[in-house]
Each structure stands twice: as structure tokens, then as C-alpha cells.
């Protein structure tokens, strides 16, 4: 039997009901996961994978790749390549421009993750993350691999022609290609580079990536900026020469450090000299700010876009505005932005420009009038975007304990590399809870399998 994702989902839920507690409904509880992955996520798996059409994934990845290209072109289009002017347009302090001007160089390979909701109106982009500091790389492949090792799920996958794309494998190949530009053939040494102190704080969630990439042939080591040394122009970690740096140090972190420029200088110089490859330049930080989405959504940029680009933005991006604006165009009418936001609380969400893990986000439909008014006051000086809600379609999941079907809301993290589509992982919340995924929310994760057949 084959079919599109809706038919496969229905078949999966039917099997969960028929087979009882020993069947598919408890498959994710039986998985044999790598040790570090199990420690980080073993108790936080959704009770099933999600499904999408194989052709649908490729078409979406093609549109997201075009969106990435559009983002990368904005500094030149809007400010003729003037980084100071572009940073100012995004509301970034002057120091960002100084760091970026030093770090500016040839673009690295395509590497990004789009966070999306599947809505009644199609895929809608919540944010786009570019650069090497992407979370979730290990999840699609490890969940899928463990599920396929389960006899019951493997039988279901064969019956429905399911397949998956291994994100970890795609990233491992990208790192190996980068290493070949600076060292002879052999096993490259890759260092995941964090700022000082973050390995101790977030090591539980970093080691699964190390575990995953090592299983795929990449000697990934964990390092902080203060541990690096330079010998004959090449970065070293202890006595080991480092071929590739997988940068998890962000532009925000460097700008917040009193000696940020000095700390990153040896890394930039080794990259420029062809001694140690930096996978993505710091300039990718220009695309991570949610202020960029407001720039793309606002009418003032539209005349600089081609017809195809305007159609792409309209298709993917919900209406988004920067709260520093006093007036905004709403459905063709010019209106006071603050007045519109107050009157349409249930349709809007406020997000800080640099929000991570859901911090600082206020969803109007979950806030009281008083809470929303306070959030709008805090955001009025800028540093936030306001965006129309992209309400996700519910994903039905069979409860492993009760067998009851309940709805969950999923955020789809779609990865891109220079090979194209590189897999998807899921973060999900029960529909009865909040809709904004934060570090502390009861989120669940899982992988995505592709099936033949039509789109939803």
C-alpha cells in the first residue's frame, strides 16, 4: 500500500489502535538510541514520526533555497553592500558592522534551517536560521534510524514506501568537502567552536551532535574560543591541528564580549590563509535577525524585487512589521501600527529580533489585554517584530498509554545544505497547551519520513 501523507498518517493511527500497547503506538518507547542522544531526548520523543510527500519536500526545499539566496542579496540591494548602513537598517549597533566588515569574505556553502508551520494556506515561515550554529542536526537521522531498527515500524515503512533524508550525513559530507580545501585526503579533524563556558552549560545538547557525526565518519571535537591556539597559521586544539571549524559562536555573542574582535581574529586569519576552514562566515548572522523578515514583508522593498521574488515572499512569509515603525500598510491601507496591534491581539505575535528558544515572545492569542498592552509598550522602541499568526494544522497522535488520539501542533525544521534538501525534524506541543515552543515548554521531538503520492 502506498499513498500521500494523509493516507499514511491514517494507516499509522489505525495500526496503533489495532495493535494495542505492544504495537506501533509504543514504538518510540522501544527505540535503541545512541547514549548521548538518549540522555538528551530519550524521554522527549513524540509518539510517532510525521509524514510528508517526497515531491512536496523537494519543492519546498527549492523555494527555501531561493529564499536563502534572496536574503543573502539584501545588503547589496538595499545598501550597495554598505554593512554599516545595512546594520543600521536592521537596528543593529555599530559594533556589529565593525565585526562584520573584518569577517566579510567569500560566502560559505549553503547551510540553513527554516522553521515552518504547515497551515491551511500552505507552508508559512516562522523564521530562517543561517550559519553553522544550527540546532537539531542530529535528530532527523537518529530518530529515523532507530525507528527503522524496530521490526514493527520497519514493516510499516516497507509497506508504505517510506524513506528519510539523513541530516547528519548531509552535514558530515559538507564538512568533509570543506576539509579537503585545506588539508590532504584523510580523516579531517573538525572542531565545534563555542564561546567560553557554553560547553558546560549546554553540553548535554551538544554531545548528541558529536556522537552523530562521529558515527558518520567525522572526528568532531568540542572546543571553546579560549582553548584554541595557532601554530604555523593553523588552528590547534591541544596538540591536534584543526581542519574545519563548525562555528557555534554567534555574531551576538562576539558583539556582547568586550574582546570579541580579538577572540575571533585568529580564526578569521586561519580561514583567509587557507589553513583552517570556517564553514560559514559571520555575515550569515545578518540573516538570522527577525528584523530581516520585516524588511522583506514591508512594501518599501517590493519594488526592488522581481515578480518571482515577490510571489515567493508572499507565499512563504506571514505579514511582518518592525515595531519601530509608526505606520504600516495593512491589507493595502496605511494605519498606525500600535493601534492595529492593540485591536488585533488574537491574530498577532511579538518576537524579539534575536529571539532564541522562544525567549521574549508574546503570543497575542494567549495573552490578556493587559499583558498584550504591556508587551506592546516594551516593544514600541524597536528591537521586535510583530507578525500575523501562522496557525498550524493539527497532527493527530496516538497516546502510548491510553490509545486515545490527540492533536499536536508541530514546527517543522527543514534543513538545507549545498546538496539541497537535507532532512526535517519536528518540535511539537500538545494542542491543549501553549503554541509557542520555549526552552521550558513540554515539547516533543521526532523525525519525518517521506512517502510517495500526492501532497496534502
Amino acid at each position: 500500500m502506498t499513498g500521500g501523507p494523509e493516507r499514511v498518517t491514517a494507516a499509522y493511527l489505525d495500526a496503533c489502535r489495532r495493535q494495542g500497547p505492544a504495537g506501533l503506538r509504543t514504538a518510540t518507547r522501544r527505540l535503541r538510541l545512541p547514549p548521548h542522544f538518549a540522555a538528551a531526548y530519550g524521554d522527549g520523543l513524540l509518539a510517532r514520526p510525521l509524514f510528508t510527500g517526497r515531491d512536496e519536500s523537494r519543492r519546498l526545499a527549492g523555494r527555501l533555497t531561493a529564499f536563502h539566496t534572496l536574503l543573502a542579496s539584501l545588503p547589496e540591494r538595499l545598501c550597495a553592500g554598505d554593512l554599516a548602513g545595512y546594520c543600521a537598517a536592521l537596528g543593529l549597533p555599530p559594533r556589529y558592522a565593525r565585526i562584520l566588515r573584518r569577517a566579510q569574505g567569500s560566502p560559505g556553502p549553503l547551510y540553513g534551517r527554516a522553521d515552518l508551520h504547515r497551515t491551511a494556506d500552505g507552508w508559512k515561515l516562522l523564521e530562517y536560521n543561517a550559519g553553522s550554529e544550527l540546532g537539531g542536526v542530529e535528530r532527523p537521522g537518529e530518530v529515523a534510524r532507530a525507528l527503522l531498527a524496530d521490526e514493527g515500524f520497519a514493516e510499516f515503512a516497507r509497506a508504505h514506501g517510506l524513506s528519510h533524508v539523513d541530516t547528519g550525513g548531509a552535514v558530515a559530507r559538507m564538512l568533509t568537502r570543506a576539509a579537503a580545501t585545506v588539508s590532504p585526503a584523510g580523516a579531517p579533524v573538525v572542531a565545534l567552536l563555542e564561546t567560553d563556558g557554553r560547553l558546560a552549560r549546554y553540553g548535554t545538547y551538544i554531545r548528541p551532535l558529536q556522537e552523530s557525526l562521529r558515527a558518520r565518519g567525522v572526528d568532531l571535537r568540542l572546543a571553546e574560543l579560549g582553548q584554541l591556539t595557532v601554530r604555523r597559521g593553523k588552528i590547534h586544539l591541544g596538540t591536534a591541528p584543526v581542519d574545519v571549524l563548525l562555528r557555534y559562536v554567534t555574531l551576538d555573542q562576539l558583539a556582547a564580549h568586550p574582546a570579541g574582535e580579538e577572540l575571533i581574529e585568529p580564526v578569521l586569519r586561519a580561514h583567509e590563509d587557507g589553513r583552517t576552514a570556517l564553514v560559514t562566515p559571520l555575515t550569515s548572522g545578518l540573516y538570522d535577525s527577525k528584523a530581516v523578515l520585516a524588511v522583506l514583508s514591508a512594501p518599501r522593498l517590493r519594488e526592488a524585487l522581481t515578480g518571482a521574488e515577490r510571489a515567493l515572499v508572499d507565499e512563504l512569509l506571514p505579514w511582518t512589521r518592525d515595531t519601530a515603525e509608526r505606520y504600516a500598510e495593512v491589507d493595502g491601507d496605511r494605519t498606525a501600527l500600535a493601534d492595529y496591534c492593540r485591536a488585533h491581539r488574537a491574530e498577532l505575535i511579538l518576537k524579539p529580533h534575536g529571539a532564541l528558544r522562544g525567549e521574549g515572545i508574546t503570543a497575542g492569542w494567549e495573552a490578556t489585554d493587559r499583558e498584550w498592552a504591556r508587551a506592546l509598550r516594551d516593544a514600541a522602541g524597536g528591537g521586535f517584530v510583530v507578525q500575523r499568526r501562522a496557525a498550524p494544522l493539527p497532527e493527530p497522535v496516538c497516546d502510548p498509554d491510553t490509545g486515545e488520539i490527540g492533536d499536536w501542533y508541530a514546527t517543522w525544521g527543514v534543513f538545507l545544505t549545498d546538496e539541497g534538501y537535507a532532512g526535517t525534524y519536528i518540535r511539537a506541543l500538545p494542542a491543549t497547551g501553549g503554541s509557542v515552543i520555549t526552552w521550558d515548554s513540554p515539547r516533543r521531538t521526532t523525525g519525518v519520513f517521506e512517502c510517495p503520492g500526492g501532497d496534502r
Side-chain angles (χ1 to χ4, degrees):
M1 175 182 175
T2 61
E6 287 185 331
R7 289 183 60 189
V8 174
T9 297
Y12 195 91
L13 296 175
D14 181 64
C16 288
R17 286 186 289 256
R18 286 187 293 99
Q19 295 171 2
L24 283 181
R25 91 183 201 200
T26 57
T28 58
R29 289 184 174 176
R30 299 192 298 267
L31 300 186
R32 299 182 64 181
L33 298 164
H36 289 298
F37 190 97
Y41 306 113
D43 293 332
L45 294 179
L46 192 65
R48 73 168 179 92
L50 298 192
F51 307 108
T52 189
R54 195 166 294 130
D55 292 341
E56 179 184 16
S57 294
R58 300 312 183 277
R59 283 196 294 272
L60 176 61
R63 294 196 290 274
L64 292 172
T65 299
F67 192 85
H68 179 106
T69 302
L70 174 57
L71 288 176
S73 74
L74 290 182
E76 184 62 37
R77 289 192 187 196
L78 293 179
C79 302
D82 174 19
L83 288 178
Y86 188 67
C87 287
L90 297 184
L92 299 174
R95 191 177 182 201
Y96 281 68
R98 292 197 297 271
I99 296 173
L100 289 169
R101 193 175 295 113
R102 171 63 189 90
Q104 197 171 20
S106 59
L110 170 63
Y111 188 32
R113 191 195 76 222
D115 290 346
L116 305 110
H117 277 170
R118 189 200 291 273
T119 77
D121 296 322
W123 293 101
K124 295 300 177 184
L125 183 72
L126 307 179
E127 61 181 74
Y128 186 79
N129 306 277
S132 51
E133 63 274 20
L134 301 180
V137 168
E138 69 283 354
R139 297 189 217 181
E142 296 304 340
V143 173
R145 186 156 61 172
L147 275 168
L148 289 171
D150 179 87
E151 183 177 344
F153 183 85
E155 181 180 349
F156 181 87
R158 286 192 296 271
H160 293 274
L162 302 184
S163 62
H164 77 283
V165 175
D166 178 17
T167 304
V171 172
R173 293 189 294 274
M174 180 183 71
L175 295 172
T176 301
R177 288 191 293 272
T181 66
V182 300
S183 65
V189 174
V190 180
L192 184 153
L193 183 61
E194 270 283 14
T195 49
D196 293 350
R198 288 181 65 86
L199 290 180
R201 185 176 180 183
Y202 295 108
T204 298
Y205 301 98
I206 294 174
R207 291 189 186 91
L209 174 60
Q210 180 185 40
E211 183 177 59
S212 178
L213 290 180
R214 284 185 167 179
R216 289 157 177 78
V218 171
D219 182 9
L220 182 68
R221 307 187 185 191
L222 306 183
E224 295 180 345
L225 272 171
Q227 298 175 314
L228 302 181
T229 59
V230 182
R231 302 179 191 176
R232 294 184 295 279
K234 193 174 185 72
I235 299 295
H236 282 64
L237 180 60
T239 60
V242 176
D243 300 307
V244 180
L245 285 168
L246 184 60
R247 177 182 58 80
Y248 272 56
V249 178
T250 69
L251 179 60
D252 288 339
Q253 290 164 354
L254 290 174
H257 196 288
E261 292 93 330
E262 290 79 6
L263 287 171
I264 201 65
E265 177 62 28
V267 169
L268 299 177
R269 188 169 299 166
H271 176 71
E272 292 167 350
D273 293 343
R275 302 289 289 155
T276 297
L278 189 62
V279 170
T280 55
L282 278 167
T283 47
S284 64
L286 287 173
Y287 321 143
D288 279 343
S289 172
K290 293 173 182 62
V292 178
L293 303 184
V295 170
L296 280 174
S297 180
R300 63 180 178 272
L301 179 66
R302 294 185 70 83
E303 62 185 32
L305 303 181
T306 67
E309 289 168 339
R310 287 194 293 271
L312 178 68
V313 171
D314 291 343
E315 175 193 357
L316 287 176
L317 187 61
W319 179 93
T320 308
R321 294 294 185 270
D322 198 291
T323 58
E325 300 180 34
R326 292 185 60 192
Y327 296 93
E329 184 178 303
V330 182
D331 300 328
D333 296 324
R334 188 171 185 266
T335 186
L337 182 59
D339 292 345
Y340 177 78
C341 291
R342 282 191 292 268
H344 294 81
R345 170 179 59 79
E347 305 167 17
L348 301 172
I349 185 168
L350 277 170
K351 303 177 182 180
H353 286 175
L356 297 174
R357 300 181 295 274
E359 295 170 356
I361 290 177
T362 302
W365 56 90
E366 294 177 1
T368 65
D369 287 339
R370 180 175 294 182
E371 290 168 340
W372 184 243
R374 183 171 60 248
L376 289 175
R377 286 195 300 271
D378 292 342
F384 286 74
V385 298
V386 60
Q387 188 176 73
R388 276 187 181 153
R389 184 184 187 186
L393 293 171
E395 296 288 346
V397 177
C398 185
D399 186 287
D401 295 315
T402 67
E404 296 181 357
I405 304 298
D407 286 338
W408 288 68
Y409 291 141
T411 297
W412 300 62
V414 178
F415 288 94
L416 304 171
T417 70
D418 50 357
E419 294 179 351
Y421 174 62
T424 301
Y425 86 108
I426 298 296
R427 290 166 291 163
L429 291 173
T432 53
S435 56
V436 177
I437 295 177
T438 68
W439 189 257
D440 297 320
S441 60
R443 64 196 186 281
R444 295 289 183 266
T445 191
T446 191
V448 171
F449 280 86
E450 298 176 324
C451 56
D455 299 344
R456 290 189 178 188

